[in-house]
Coordinates of all heavy atoms in Angstrom, one line a residue:
M46 N -6.0 -12.6 12.2 CA -4.8 -12.2 11.6 C -5.0 -11.3 10.4 O -5.8 -11.6 9.5 CB -4.0 -13.4 11.2 CG -2.6 -13.1 10.6 SD -1.6 -14.6 10.4 CE -2.0 -15.0 8.8
T47 N -4.4 -10.2 10.3 CA -4.5 -9.3 9.2 C -3.2 -9.1 8.5 O -2.3 -8.6 9.1 CB -5.0 -7.9 9.7 OG1 -6.3 -8.1 10.4 CG2 -5.3 -7.0 8.5
V48 N -3.1 -9.6 7.3 CA -1.8 -9.4 6.5 C -2.0 -8.4 5.4 O -2.9 -8.6 4.6 CB -1.4 -10.8 6.0 CG1 -0.1 -10.6 5.1 CG2 -1.2 -11.8 7.1
L49 N -1.2 -7.4 5.5 CA -1.2 -6.4 4.4 C -0.2 -6.8 3.4 O 0.9 -7.2 3.7 CB -0.9 -5.0 4.9 CG -1.8 -4.5 6.0 CD1 -1.2 -3.2 6.6 CD2 -3.2 -4.3 5.5
T50 N -0.5 -6.8 2.1 CA 0.4 -7.1 1.0 C 0.5 -5.9 0.1 O -0.5 -5.4 -0.4 CB 0.0 -8.3 0.2 OG1 -0.1 -9.4 1.1 CG2 1.0 -8.6 -0.9
C51 N 1.8 -5.4 -0.1 CA 1.9 -4.2 -0.9 C 1.6 -4.5 -2.4 O 2.1 -5.5 -3.0 CB 3.4 -3.7 -0.8 SG 3.7 -2.2 -1.9
Y52 N 0.7 -3.7 -3.0 CA 0.3 -3.9 -4.3 C 1.4 -3.7 -5.3 O 1.3 -4.2 -6.4 CB -0.9 -3.0 -4.6 CG -1.6 -3.2 -5.9 CD1 -2.4 -4.3 -6.1 CD2 -1.6 -2.2 -6.9 CE1 -3.1 -4.5 -7.2 CE2 -2.3 -2.4 -8.1 CZ -3.1 -3.6 -8.2 OH -3.8 -3.8 -9.4
R53 N 2.4 -2.9 -5.0 CA 3.4 -2.6 -5.9 C 4.6 -3.5 -5.8 O 5.1 -4.1 -6.8 CB 3.8 -1.2 -5.7 CG 4.9 -0.7 -6.7 CD 5.2 0.8 -6.5 NE 6.1 1.3 -7.5 CZ 7.3 1.8 -7.2 NH1 7.7 1.8 -6.0 NH2 8.1 2.2 -8.1
C54 N 5.2 -3.7 -4.6 CA 6.4 -4.4 -4.5 C 6.2 -5.8 -3.9 O 7.1 -6.7 -3.9 CB 7.4 -3.7 -3.7 SG 7.1 -3.6 -1.9
G55 N 5.0 -6.1 -3.4 CA 4.7 -7.4 -2.9 C 5.1 -7.8 -1.5 O 4.9 -8.9 -1.0
T56 N 5.8 -6.8 -0.8 CA 6.1 -7.1 0.6 C 4.9 -7.2 1.4 O 3.9 -6.6 1.1 CB 7.1 -5.9 1.1 OG1 7.6 -6.4 2.3 CG2 6.3 -4.7 1.4
S57 N 5.0 -8.0 2.5 CA 3.8 -8.2 3.3 C 4.1 -7.9 4.8 O 5.2 -7.9 5.2 CB 3.3 -9.6 3.2 OG 4.2 -10.5 3.6
L58 N 3.0 -7.6 5.5 CA 3.2 -7.2 6.9 C 2.0 -7.8 7.7 O 0.8 -7.6 7.3 CB 3.2 -5.7 7.1 CG 3.1 -5.2 8.5 CD1 4.4 -5.5 9.2 CD2 2.8 -3.7 8.6
D59 N 2.3 -8.6 8.7 CA 1.2 -9.2 9.5 C 1.0 -8.2 10.7 O 1.8 -8.1 11.6 CB 1.6 -10.5 10.1 CG 0.5 -11.1 11.0 OD1 -0.5 -10.4 11.2 OD2 0.7 -12.3 11.4
S60 N -0.1 -7.4 10.5 CA -0.2 -6.3 11.5 C -0.6 -6.7 12.9 O -0.6 -6.0 13.8 CB -1.3 -5.3 10.9 OG -2.6 -6.0 10.8
D61 N -1.0 -8.0 13.0 CA -1.4 -8.5 14.3 C -0.2 -9.3 15.0 O -0.4 -9.9 16.0 CB -2.6 -9.4 14.2 CG -3.8 -8.6 13.8 OD1 -3.9 -7.4 14.1 OD2 -4.7 -9.2 13.2
A62 N 0.9 -9.4 14.3 CA 2.0 -10.2 14.8 C 2.5 -9.7 16.2 O 2.7 -10.5 17.1 CB 3.2 -10.2 13.8
D63 N 2.7 -8.4 16.3 CA 3.2 -7.9 17.6 C 2.9 -6.4 17.5 O 2.4 -5.8 16.5 CB 4.7 -8.1 17.8 CG 5.5 -7.7 16.6 OD1 5.3 -6.6 16.0 OD2 6.5 -8.4 16.3
E64 N 3.2 -5.7 18.6 CA 2.9 -4.3 18.7 C 3.6 -3.4 17.7 O 3.0 -2.5 17.1 CB 3.2 -3.8 20.1 CG 2.7 -2.4 20.4 CD 2.9 -1.9 21.8 OE1 3.1 -2.8 22.7 OE2 2.9 -0.7 22.1
Q65 N 4.8 -3.8 17.4 CA 5.6 -3.0 16.5 C 5.0 -3.1 15.1 O 5.0 -2.2 14.3 CB 7.1 -3.5 16.5 CG 8.0 -2.6 15.6 CD 9.5 -3.0 15.7 OE1 9.8 -4.0 16.5 NE2 10.3 -2.4 15.0
S66 N 4.6 -4.3 14.7 CA 4.0 -4.5 13.4 C 2.7 -3.8 13.3 O 2.3 -3.2 12.2 CB 3.7 -6.0 13.2 OG 4.9 -6.7 13.1
G67 N 1.9 -3.7 14.4 CA 0.7 -3.0 14.4 C 0.9 -1.5 14.2 O 0.2 -0.8 13.4
M68 N 2.0 -1.0 14.8 CA 2.3 0.4 14.6 C 2.8 0.7 13.1 O 2.4 1.7 12.5 CB 3.5 0.9 15.5 CG 3.1 0.9 17.0 SD 1.7 2.1 17.3 CE 2.6 3.6 17.1
A69 N 3.6 -0.3 12.6 CA 4.0 -0.1 11.2 C 2.9 -0.1 10.2 O 2.9 0.6 9.2 CB 5.0 -1.3 10.9
A70 N 1.8 -0.9 10.5 CA 0.7 -1.0 9.6 C 0.0 0.3 9.5 O -0.6 0.6 8.5 CB -0.3 -2.1 10.2
L71 N 0.1 1.2 10.5 CA -0.6 2.5 10.5 C 0.0 3.4 9.4 O -0.7 4.3 8.9 CB -0.4 3.2 11.8 CG -1.1 2.5 13.0 CD1 -0.9 3.3 14.3 CD2 -2.6 2.3 12.7
S72 N 1.2 3.1 9.0 CA 1.9 4.0 8.0 C 1.6 3.4 6.5 O 2.1 4.0 5.6 CB 3.3 4.2 8.3 OG 4.0 2.9 8.3
W73 N 1.0 2.3 6.4 CA 0.6 1.8 5.1 C -0.5 2.6 4.6 O -1.3 3.2 5.3 CB 0.2 0.3 5.2 CG 1.4 -0.6 5.3 CD1 2.4 -0.5 6.2 CD2 1.7 -1.7 4.4 NE1 3.3 -1.6 6.0 CE2 2.9 -2.3 4.9 CE3 1.0 -2.3 3.3 CZ2 3.5 -3.4 4.3 CZ3 1.6 -3.4 2.7 CH2 2.8 -4.0 3.2
V74 N -0.6 2.7 3.3 CA -1.6 3.5 2.6 C -2.6 2.6 1.8 O -2.1 1.7 1.1 CB -1.0 4.5 1.7 CG1 -2.0 5.3 0.9 CG2 -0.1 5.5 2.5
S75 N -3.9 2.8 2.0 CA -4.8 2.1 1.2 C -5.3 2.9 0.0 O -5.3 4.2 0.1 CB -6.1 1.7 2.0 OG -6.7 2.8 2.5
A76 N -5.6 2.3 -1.1 CA -6.1 3.0 -2.3 C -7.0 2.1 -3.0 O -7.1 0.9 -2.7 CB -4.9 3.3 -3.1
R77 N -7.8 2.6 -3.9 CA -8.7 1.8 -4.7 C -8.1 1.6 -6.1 O -7.8 2.6 -6.8 CB -10.1 2.4 -4.8 CG -10.9 2.2 -3.6 CD -12.3 2.6 -3.7 NE -13.1 1.5 -4.3 CZ -13.5 0.4 -3.6 NH1 -13.2 0.3 -2.3 NH2 -14.3 -0.5 -4.1
E78 N -8.0 0.4 -6.5 CA -7.5 0.0 -7.9 C -8.5 -0.9 -8.5 O -8.8 -2.0 -8.0 CB -6.1 -0.7 -7.8 CG -5.0 0.2 -7.3 CD -4.5 1.1 -8.3 OE1 -4.8 0.9 -9.5 OE2 -3.7 2.0 -8.0
R79 N -9.1 -0.4 -9.6 CA -10.1 -1.3 -10.3 C -11.1 -1.8 -9.4 O -11.5 -3.0 -9.5 CB -9.4 -2.4 -11.0 CG -8.4 -1.9 -12.1 CD -7.7 -3.1 -12.8 NE -6.6 -2.6 -13.6 CZ -5.3 -3.2 -13.5 NH1 -5.1 -4.2 -12.8 NH2 -4.4 -2.7 -14.3
G80 N -11.6 -0.9 -8.6 CA -12.8 -1.3 -7.7 C -12.5 -2.1 -6.5 O -13.4 -2.5 -5.8
R81 N -11.3 -2.4 -6.2 CA -11.0 -3.1 -5.0 C -9.9 -2.4 -4.2 O -9.1 -1.6 -4.7 CB -10.5 -4.5 -5.3 CG -9.2 -4.7 -5.9 CD -9.0 -6.1 -6.4 NE -7.6 -6.2 -7.0 CZ -6.6 -6.8 -6.3 NH1 -6.9 -7.3 -5.1 NH2 -5.4 -6.9 -6.8
D82 N -9.9 -2.6 -2.9 CA -9.0 -1.9 -2.0 C -7.7 -2.6 -2.0 O -7.6 -3.8 -1.9 CB -9.5 -1.9 -0.6 CG -10.8 -1.0 -0.4 OD1 -10.7 0.1 -1.0 OD2 -11.7 -1.4 0.3
V83 N -6.6 -1.9 -2.2 CA -5.3 -2.4 -2.2 C -4.4 -1.6 -1.2 O -4.8 -0.5 -0.8 CB -4.6 -2.4 -3.6 CG1 -5.4 -3.2 -4.6 CG2 -4.5 -0.9 -4.1
F84 N -3.3 -2.1 -0.9 CA -2.4 -1.4 0.1 C -1.0 -1.2 -0.5 O -0.5 -2.0 -1.3 CB -2.3 -2.2 1.4 CG -3.6 -2.3 2.1 CD1 -4.5 -3.4 1.9 CD2 -4.0 -1.3 3.0 CE1 -5.7 -3.4 2.5 CE2 -5.2 -1.4 3.7 CZ -6.1 -2.4 3.4
F85 N -0.4 -0.1 0.0 CA 1.0 0.1 -0.4 C 1.8 0.3 0.9 O 1.4 1.0 1.8 CB 1.1 1.4 -1.2 CG 0.3 1.4 -2.5 CD1 -1.0 1.8 -2.6 CD2 1.0 0.9 -3.6 CE1 -1.7 1.7 -3.8 CE2 0.3 0.8 -4.8 CZ -1.0 1.2 -4.9
C86 N 3.0 -0.3 0.9 CA 3.9 -0.2 2.0 C 4.4 1.3 2.1 O 4.3 2.0 1.1 CB 5.1 -1.1 1.9 SG 6.3 -0.7 0.5
P87 N 4.9 1.7 3.2 CA 5.3 3.1 3.3 C 6.3 3.6 2.2 O 6.2 4.7 1.7 CB 6.0 3.2 4.7 CG 5.3 2.1 5.5 CD 5.1 1.0 4.4
Q88 N 7.2 2.7 1.8 CA 8.2 3.1 0.8 C 7.5 3.4 -0.5 O 7.8 4.4 -1.2 CB 9.2 2.0 0.7 CG 10.3 2.3 -0.4 CD 11.2 3.4 0.1 OE1 11.8 3.4 1.1 NE2 11.3 4.5 -0.7
C89 N 6.7 2.4 -0.9 CA 6.0 2.6 -2.2 C 5.0 3.8 -2.1 O 4.8 4.5 -3.1 CB 5.3 1.3 -2.6 SG 6.4 0.0 -3.0
A90 N 4.3 3.9 -1.0 CA 3.4 5.0 -0.9 C 4.1 6.3 -1.1 O 3.6 7.2 -1.8 CB 2.7 5.0 0.5
R91 N 5.3 6.5 -0.6 CA 6.0 7.7 -0.7 C 6.5 7.9 -2.1 O 6.4 9.0 -2.7 CB 7.3 7.6 0.2 CG 7.8 9.0 0.6 CD 8.7 9.0 1.8 NE 9.4 7.7 2.0 CZ 9.4 6.9 3.1 NH1 8.6 7.3 4.1 NH2 10.1 5.8 3.1
D92 N 6.9 6.8 -2.8 CA 7.3 6.9 -4.2 C 6.2 7.3 -5.1 O 6.4 7.8 -6.1 CB 7.9 5.6 -4.6 CG 9.3 5.3 -4.0 OD1 9.8 6.2 -3.3 OD2 9.8 4.2 -4.1
N93 N 5.0 6.9 -4.7 CA 3.9 7.0 -5.6 C 2.7 7.8 -5.1 O 1.6 7.7 -5.5 CB 3.3 5.6 -6.0 CG 4.4 4.8 -6.7 OD1 4.7 5.0 -7.8 ND2 5.0 3.9 -6.0
L94 N 3.1 8.7 -4.1 CA 2.0 9.5 -3.5 C 1.2 10.3 -4.5 O 0.0 10.3 -4.4 CB 2.7 10.4 -2.5 CG 1.7 11.2 -1.6 CD1 0.9 10.3 -0.8 CD2 2.5 12.1 -0.7
R95 N 1.9 10.8 -5.5 CA 1.2 11.7 -6.4 C 0.2 10.9 -7.2 O -1.0 11.3 -7.4 CB 2.2 12.4 -7.3 CG 1.5 13.5 -8.2 CD 2.5 14.3 -8.9 NE 3.5 14.8 -8.0 CZ 4.6 15.5 -8.4 NH1 4.8 15.7 -9.7 NH2 5.5 16.0 -7.5
S96 N 0.6 9.7 -7.7 CA -0.3 8.9 -8.5 C -1.5 8.3 -7.7 O -2.6 8.1 -8.2 CB 0.4 7.8 -9.2 OG 1.1 7.0 -8.3
I97 N -1.2 8.0 -6.4 CA -2.2 7.5 -5.5 C -3.3 8.6 -5.3 O -4.5 8.3 -5.4 CB -1.7 7.0 -4.2 CG1 -0.8 5.8 -4.4 CG2 -2.8 6.7 -3.2 CD1 0.0 5.3 -3.2
E98 N -2.8 9.8 -5.0 CA -3.7 10.9 -4.8 C -4.5 11.2 -6.0 O -5.7 11.6 -6.0 CB -3.0 12.1 -4.3 CG -2.5 12.0 -2.9 CD -1.7 13.2 -2.5 OE1 -1.3 14.0 -3.4 OE2 -1.6 13.5 -1.3
G99 N -3.9 11.0 -7.2 CA -4.6 11.3 -8.4 C -5.5 10.1 -8.9 O -6.2 10.2 -9.9
K100 N -5.5 9.0 -8.1 CA -6.4 7.9 -8.4 C -6.1 7.3 -9.8 O -7.0 6.9 -10.5 CB -7.9 8.2 -8.3 CG -8.3 8.6 -6.9 CD -8.2 7.4 -5.9 CE -8.9 7.7 -4.6 NZ -8.0 8.6 -3.8
L101 N -4.8 7.4 -10.2 CA -4.5 6.9 -11.5 C -4.3 5.4 -11.5 O -4.0 4.8 -10.5 CB -3.1 7.5 -12.0 CG -3.2 9.1 -12.2 CD1 -1.8 9.5 -12.5 CD2 -4.2 9.5 -13.2
D102 N -4.6 4.8 -12.6 CA -4.3 3.4 -12.8 C -2.8 3.1 -12.6 O -2.0 3.9 -13.0 CB -4.8 2.9 -14.1 CG -5.0 1.4 -14.1 OD1 -4.0 0.7 -14.4 OD2 -6.1 0.9 -13.8
S103 N -2.5 1.9 -12.1 CA -1.1 1.7 -11.8 C -0.4 0.9 -12.9 O 0.7 0.5 -12.8 CB -1.0 0.9 -10.5 OG -1.7 -0.3 -10.6
D104 N -1.0 0.7 -14.0 CA -0.4 -0.1 -15.1 C 0.9 0.5 -15.6 O 1.7 -0.3 -16.1 CB -1.4 -0.2 -16.3 CG -2.5 -1.2 -16.1 OD1 -2.3 -2.0 -15.2 OD2 -3.4 -1.3 -16.9
W105 N 1.0 1.8 -15.5 CA 2.2 2.4 -16.1 C 3.4 2.3 -15.2 O 4.5 2.7 -15.6 CB 1.9 3.9 -16.5 CG 1.5 4.7 -15.3 CD1 0.2 4.9 -14.9 CD2 2.3 5.5 -14.5 NE1 0.2 5.7 -13.8 CE2 1.5 6.1 -13.5 CE3 3.7 5.8 -14.4 CZ2 1.9 7.0 -12.5 CZ3 4.2 6.6 -13.4 CH2 3.3 7.2 -12.5
W106 N 3.3 1.9 -14.0 CA 4.4 1.8 -13.0 C 5.5 0.8 -13.5 O 5.1 -0.3 -13.9 CB 3.9 1.4 -11.7 CG 3.1 2.5 -11.0 CD1 2.9 3.7 -11.4 CD2 2.5 2.3 -9.7 NE1 2.1 4.4 -10.5 CE2 1.9 3.6 -9.4 CE3 2.4 1.3 -8.7 CZ2 1.1 3.8 -8.3 CZ3 1.7 1.5 -7.6 CH2 1.1 2.8 -7.4
Ligands
ZN27 ZN1 5.8 -1.7 -1.5

């Protein structure tokens, strides 16, 4: 079981739950925050695309 949890809003997705969840997981974005891998849901990824690409710390969000 692979559960993705959004680092920003806390929503979670079980990517192994069913085929639709697996497809949805593909649109999640991974990023590195303070040396560990974190994930963002599609909504937050879109809202914060610029800061993710810039590898900025998320404290200011
Ligand atoms: Zn989110």
Side-chain angles (χ1 to χ4, degrees):
M46 186 170 91
T47 304
V48 178
L49 302 176
T50 302
C51 180
Y52 188 67
R53 183 175 182 244
C54 72
T56 192
S57 61
L58 172 71
D59 181 355
S60 62
D61 294 334
D63 52 40
E64 189 173 340
Q65 187 175 359
S66 295
M68 292 298 290
L71 296 178
S72 58
W73 282 54
V74 174
S75 64
R77 281 192 87 75
E78 293 282 347
R79 297 181 191 132
R81 69 193 185 100
D82 291 318
V83 297
F84 294 91
F85 296 94
C86 69
Q88 181 66 55
C89 293
R91 204 161 29 239
D92 289 348
N93 297 285
L94 187 59
R95 191 171 305 175
S96 56
I97 292 170
E98 286 180 340
K100 298 289 191 286
L101 296 177
D102 196 274
S103 57
D104 279 349
W105 60 272
W106 288 358

